[in-house]
Amino acid sequence: MKGIIFDLDGVIVSTDQYHFQAWKQMADNMGIYFDEEINHRLRGVSRMESLDIILERYQGTALSESEKEQRAAEKNQTYKELLGNMTPDDVTAEVRETLQELRNRGYRLAIGSSSKNAKFILARIGLTDAFDAISDGENISNSKPDPEVFVKAAEYLQLPAEECAVVEDAEAGIQAAFRGGMKAIAIGSIREAKLTELELVTFSDLLRIFP
Ligand code: B16
Ligand code: MG
């Protein structure tokens, strides 16, 4: 293994509560029921696909494509305002130090995120320079579980897929890694699903997997 590709939301940093608050505000405005359990289904899923999941509970007339775009833009505006509260303190010392040590050991590191806000988030938390490449929602046409975001990340790192491992907190992301011919490492509650044999109890366990 020469390259490690990290999902952003749920792996490097947690923006889950901001996604929840922003979607909740949009759902409330439209009179749609929305809760934490539905929010959980949005992990790793693109913005427009997330909207479709929320609209499953919508009782009104079906939305046109432009109305959907408008609602998604409304959500993103609220989300970006909330992201504005993020600072480098939102990254744990464990994450920061582990990334640095992996680099010291010679691994090439990339971000592989479905988010179109990935670069904004990385800038807010002061981690842009911790990665050799960033592949995100801005450079893909198909989102996870399609492997495109990780295939592009490996390309940007100039490494073949089989020399890359992906760290993920969502089922869609783990499937995407496998479909891209990469190893998948699970972190967080998704470990319970036993989708992969490699897992991290805590982020710094990466230092045992990558000597
Ligand atoms: P945006 P990841 C994903 O990021 C989030 O997990 C998912 O909840 C979100 O809908 C998606 O990004 C798109 O985000 O609206 O900012 O483009 O986990 O792939 O880093
Ligand atoms: Mg994630």
Side-chain angles (χ1 to χ4, degrees):
M1 288 294 127
K2 292 189 179 149
I4 313 171
I5 303 171
F6 296 87
D7 172 58
L8 180 60
D9 289 339
V11 171
I12 298 296
V13 81
S14 175
T15 55
D16 222 47
Q17 74 278 17
Y18 297 138
H19 277 298
F20 177 74
Q21 285 176 50
W23 282 126
K24 177 85 177 122
Q25 190 169 312
M26 186 214 74
D28 286 351
N29 288 344
M30 296 179 73
I32 304 174
Y33 177 79
F34 181 64
D35 63 14
E36 292 278 3
E37 209 178 307
I38 302 171
N39 190 58
H40 190 73
R41 288 175 58 205
L42 313 182
R43 284 198 163 194
V45 172
S46 75
R47 193 181 308 166
M48 295 312 286
E49 285 163 333
S50 298
L51 177 63
D52 283 336
I53 291 173
I54 293 168
L55 289 176
E56 286 170 10
R57 298 276 190 138
Y58 184 53
Q59 315 257 317
T61 323
L63 269 60
S64 67
E65 279 312 306
S66 76
E67 283 168 329
K68 282 193 189 178
E69 295 283 350
Q70 209 180 314
R71 291 298 181 175
E74 180 191 312
K75 178 267 175 176
N76 195 52
Q77 198 183 330
T78 314
Y79 178 57
K80 279 196 90 167
E81 279 164 23
L82 293 166
L83 289 180
N85 298 324
M86 294 190 90
T87 70
D89 287 342
D90 285 295
V91 182
T92 63
E94 180 186 5
V95 166
R96 210 174 278 282
E97 285 161 16
T98 302
L99 291 173
Q100 184 57 55
E101 178 57 20
L102 289 169
R103 251 186 167 179
N104 294 346
R105 293 181 186 187
Y107 294 99
R108 294 173 63 73
L109 312 185
I111 286 289
S113 166
S114 304
S115 176
K116 290 184 196 271
N117 294 303
K119 293 186 189 79
F120 180 69
I121 296 169
L122 287 168
R124 292 292 323 166
I125 60 180
L127 270 190
T128 307
D129 296 336
F131 299 93
D132 301 290
I134 297 169
S135 173
D136 64 16
E138 293 290 353
N139 60 255
I140 53 169
S141 325
N142 307 297
S143 62
K144 304 167 188 176
D146 188 284
E148 188 179 3
V149 74
F150 296 141
V151 170
K152 287 264 167 63
E155 261 172 48
Y156 297 161
L157 290 177
Q158 297 183 306
L159 290 172
E162 58 273 20
E163 289 181 4
C164 295
V166 169
V167 185
E168 258 291 350
D169 72 315
E171 182 171 352
I174 289 177
Q175 285 170 357
F178 286 144
R179 284 169 62 180
M182 300 169 195
K183 286 206 160 41
I185 304 171
I187 189 167
S189 60
I190 195 61
R191 287 185 299 136
E192 289 155 26
K194 300 281 172 216
L195 302 167
T196 173
E197 47 197 47
L198 293 170
E199 56 175 46
L200 308 177
V201 174
T202 184
F203 194 83
S204 59
D205 287 345
L206 282 167
L207 299 176
R208 284 193 291 103
I209 299 178
F210 298 96

